[in-house]
Amino acid sequence: MRRRDAPTVPEPGLADLAPDQRLRRLELTVTRRLNGLLNGQYRGLLPGPGSEAAGSREYRPGEDEVRRMDWAVTARTAVPHVREVDADRELTTWLLVDASPSMEYGTATLDKRELAVAAVAAVGFLTAGVGNRLGGQVLAPDGVRRFPARGGRTHLLGLLRALLGAPRTDGYRETPTLADGLDGLQRMATRRGLVVVVSDYLDGLPDDPDGAPAWEAVLRRLAVRHQVLAVEVTDPRELELPDVGLVTLVDPETGRHREVWTGDPALRERYAQAAAAQRDQVRHALRRSGATHLALRTDRDWSADIVRHVHAQRRLAAAPAAARGGVA
């Protein structure tokens, strides 16, 4: 008698779970997969700032503190150097999470807001530890929600629940701008630490591809004092237009509608070129601001992308010190 196997039931995706189930899934993913692959909870998402020696580099006037001068290397090379250090064991992380209407879009496993929640969970659980604190702001359609910097798992889960429960829009509604959110975060983050901005960065982009977005100047000011990680969240359908006939495109940030015929190959090509130029505009603005750029997509494994990003940042941080013969 031939054995008949039971039909395989696919595991539910993150977006299919209830809020508390999603939080448990995210915590397990971070603590088991990410934390294991990243070798320790105090290694951090980015190298520095802290107190454990990690080599030295040339002094940057106006950015580096004189008290971190490495006088031995300075005397040996006749060029001012400062000590580089590993991440502090008492770290304050400040978050700015974009929950505006454009973040409600998604055509893959997650929508962009769900992916933003996953990114925040990764940051929160990876930087959790004795003495570490997490705070920030959420830019939602009903206004700005502020979270003071506090430690502990309960505080982090409360922030994640607020993100999952942030109201969604059924039409155009004006929301706080990303530039305003960054300005408010700058006033909150008075102590040097890690600033993480999670957004699609579509807000405030000028029509001129060579122009500076409205949020670039304030992000640059934040990067002078803090380490800044810019998490860019995108969806594949924002980058290319499928051939599905007549569709109505809606700009969630302005409420404007436009009907287009997607059967036109030339139109789809122009759309793809414009979308690529827009993402290049964002990427260049983030680079000019001095932020570290982490790109996440709704159709990719976000945890694997975060692991690759962290390992790449550590290699970049270690290479200059090794080249100078410093401590890696």
Side-chain angles (χ1 to χ4, degrees):
M1 182 176 178
R2 176 176 293 180
R3 176 177 174 269
R4 179 176 295 177
D5 292 330
T8 302
V9 178
E11 184 180 2
L14 183 63
D16 301 322
L17 301 174
D20 283 345
Q21 291 176 312
R22 275 180 274 185
L23 293 180
R24 285 195 293 272
R25 174 77 66 80
L26 286 170
E27 184 172 9
L28 286 173
T29 299
V30 174
T31 55
R32 289 184 178 178
R33 184 175 182 186
L34 293 189
N35 204 30
L37 291 172
L38 296 178
N39 301 319
Q41 62 183 19
Y42 288 113
R43 293 298 300 274
L45 288 168
L46 295 175
S51 56
E52 296 183 12
S56 60
R57 60 169 172 77
E58 289 189 13
Y59 170 75
R60 291 194 285 260
E63 180 177 342
D64 294 321
E65 300 178 62
V66 177
R67 64 187 179 89
R68 294 204 179 277
M69 292 291 292
D70 190 330
W71 298 111
V73 177
T74 299
R76 187 169 64 250
T77 63
V79 176
H81 278 67
V82 293
R83 296 187 304 274
E84 287 191 311
V85 289
D86 284 334
D88 271 329
R89 288 179 179 266
E90 292 186 2
L91 173 71
T92 300
T93 301
W94 296 97
L95 292 162
L96 179 63
V97 186
D98 184 357
S100 64
S102 68
M103 293 289 287
E104 297 175 10
Y105 181 73
T107 61
T109 306
L110 305 174
D111 66 19
K112 292 198 292 183
R113 187 188 289 190
E114 291 278 354
L115 185 53
V117 174
V120 171
V123 171
F125 288 119
L126 285 174
T127 58
V130 177
N132 290 353
R133 301 187 304 162
L134 181 74
Q137 298 185 150
V138 177
L139 304 180
D142 60 344
V144 179
R145 295 198 62 181
R146 294 175 176 84
F147 297 84
R150 293 174 182 163
R153 178 176 177 273
T154 300
H155 174 64
L156 171 58
L157 293 178
L159 193 153
L160 293 172
R161 286 193 182 94
L163 277 174
L164 290 172
R168 294 180 178 259
T169 58
D170 53 4
Y172 168 65
R173 182 186 299 178
E174 188 174 357
T175 58
T177 68
L178 184 59
D180 291 340
L182 288 167
D183 191 60
L185 191 67
Q186 187 177 28
R187 291 193 295 270
M188 292 179 67
T190 56
R191 180 183 176 184
R192 181 176 175 86
L194 172 64
V195 170
V196 181
V197 184
V198 186
S199 175
D200 54 14
Y201 296 94
L202 296 178
D203 176 38
L205 287 181
D207 294 332
D208 180 6
D210 296 324
W215 41 260
E216 181 180 336
V218 65
L219 189 63
R220 186 185 297 115
R221 290 196 297 270
L222 276 167
V224 170
R225 181 171 179 80
H226 305 275
Q227 284 189 298
V228 177
L229 174 62
V231 182
E232 179 193 12
V233 178
T234 59
D235 185 85
R237 285 294 170 260
E238 294 175 319
L239 307 176
E240 59 183 15
L241 198 62
D243 183 2
V244 292
L246 184 66
V247 297
T248 301
L249 302 180
V250 182
D251 185 343
E253 300 289 346
T254 64
R256 290 183 298 179
H257 291 65
R258 182 173 181 179
E259 288 190 343
V260 297
W261 174 253
T262 61
D264 182 0
L267 173 66
R268 296 199 304 274
E269 178 63 24
R270 290 196 303 272
Y271 180 94
Q273 291 175 354
Q278 188 180 63
R279 300 331 301 181
D280 285 342
Q281 188 179 13
V282 170
R283 184 166 58 254
H284 293 153
L286 293 176
R287 184 182 303 158
R288 289 193 301 266
S289 70
T292 303
H293 182 200
L294 167 59
L296 300 179
R297 285 176 49 138
T298 59
D299 61 339
R300 291 175 56 94
D301 183 343
W302 59 269
S303 59
D305 285 340
I306 291 175
V307 169
R308 281 192 291 267
H309 173 82
V310 174
H311 283 313
Q313 289 301 310
R314 290 176 183 170
R315 286 196 299 270
L316 287 174
R324 291 191 300 267
V327 179

